[in-house]
Amino acid sequence: MVEGTVSGELEARLDVRHGQSFLLDIELSIPPGRTVALLGPNGAGKSTAVAALAGLIPVDSGCVRLGEDVLDDPQTGVFVPPEERGMGVVFQDYLLFPHMSVVDNVAFGLRNHGLGREEARWRARGWIDRLGLDRVAEQKPGSLSGGQAQRVALARALVTEPRMLLLDEPLSALDVTTRAKLRRELAEHLTAFAGPRLMITHDPAEAFLLSDEIHIIEDGRITQVGSAEAIRLRPRTSYAADLAGSNLFVGYASDGTVDAGGHLLQTADPDFSGEVLVSIRPSAISLHRSRPEGSPRNSWEATIGAVERLGERARVAVGQPLPLTAEVTTAAADELDLAPGHRIWVSIKATEIGVELAPGPG
């Protein structure tokens, strides 16, 4: 581990180039105890940011500082190798050693720091037990489920008591069901970790649920910083607008009904109970000039806040009782006379409302 303070703020100015081609030019500042999500599409520069922070590649200019320690500064010739940076890293494909048992995989970082085999294995078992891996401790990674492999990678990152946690698409290799379950577990471990935490993701649901602040990255640059709510209300780019229109919010489920800030939604998932993440696709929201026929269970009247035309589609933001973004054709927008301040009826089929458990106390 890098000598210096036990924990401290990450301050990074990353300028990375490949020949004459531009790859990355971003700034990050993450205080201890805070989780930042670096959210962007494939090819935006997220993996390059991981490599630069972890010390797998040097920055061409800029500086990486963790607490009082400079980890990379080409101007002064400082470059701290990965194993001495004090960063716990969980890579997208986990990078577990296939010939080693689970306990030896977790103990690897400790052995690499000079700890004896028995002491390293003893400390590794502490995290193995904590993450519910005791039954597979002596198994090889090839026999593990995706969820178990993810826990092993997390245990390996945490066992060295790192000063910062860096997670590169930590749940992307999992199936949808496992991902939803482990999202809750990961939220608990992130909350318990005292240092700065950076999560790389292309999934807005993960960024919404697991981070305190979102940094949107596009084409190697940060285009917007803020909370999920701030980005939803004031997107600055078309990519951010797409995220803003994804209609993600937290509610409380019981017997097929979700209470979303006092507004009740009927869903097709009666088995969910407790705090949930609700997702509604903008195109799944129907708009009507009058109360829809048949009185669908999820229908209400609201005021239009904004209308944004994007080619042949139009995004329509509606306000209380449940602020949402709908998407219709421009022809439909003209026919419905959609404009800010106008009243409109909103309807959503129960089957179009996605529900999954949100992170919370176990």
Side-chain angles (χ1 to χ4, degrees), residues 109-153:
L110 296 172
R111 296 294 309 279
N112 206 36
H113 283 83
L115 214 61
R117 183 174 186 272
E118 292 307 315
E119 174 69 11
R121 284 172 61 88
W122 179 79
R123 287 176 57 176
R125 282 191 175 276
W127 274 102
I128 285 171
D129 292 343
R130 194 178 305 184
L131 291 174
L133 295 165
D134 48 301
R135 293 184 179 180
V136 298
E138 298 299 336
Q139 293 183 26
K140 302 289 178 62
S143 66
L144 304 179
S145 67
Q148 289 169 334
Q150 194 271 348
R151 291 190 188 100
V152 174

Side-chain angles (χ1 to χ4, degrees), residues 264-287:
L264 300 182
L265 291 172
Q266 302 298 317
T267 76
D269 296 296
D271 296 332
F272 282 100
S273 179
E275 195 173 52
V276 293
L277 175 71
V278 179
S279 60
I280 305 172
R281 292 179 297 107
S283 58
I285 300 172
S286 298
L287 301 179

Side-chain angles (χ1 to χ4, degrees), residues 36 50 62 72 78 94 112 129 160 165 170 199 207 210 231 243 251 260 270 281 296 304 310 321 331 344 352:
V36 166
V50 171
D72 192 352
V78 173
Y94 309 141
N112 206 36
D129 292 343
T160 57
L165 199 54
M199 181 181 63
L210 299 175
I231 291 171
L243 298 177
R281 292 179 297 107
I304 296 174
L310 304 166
I344 196 77
E352 296 287 357

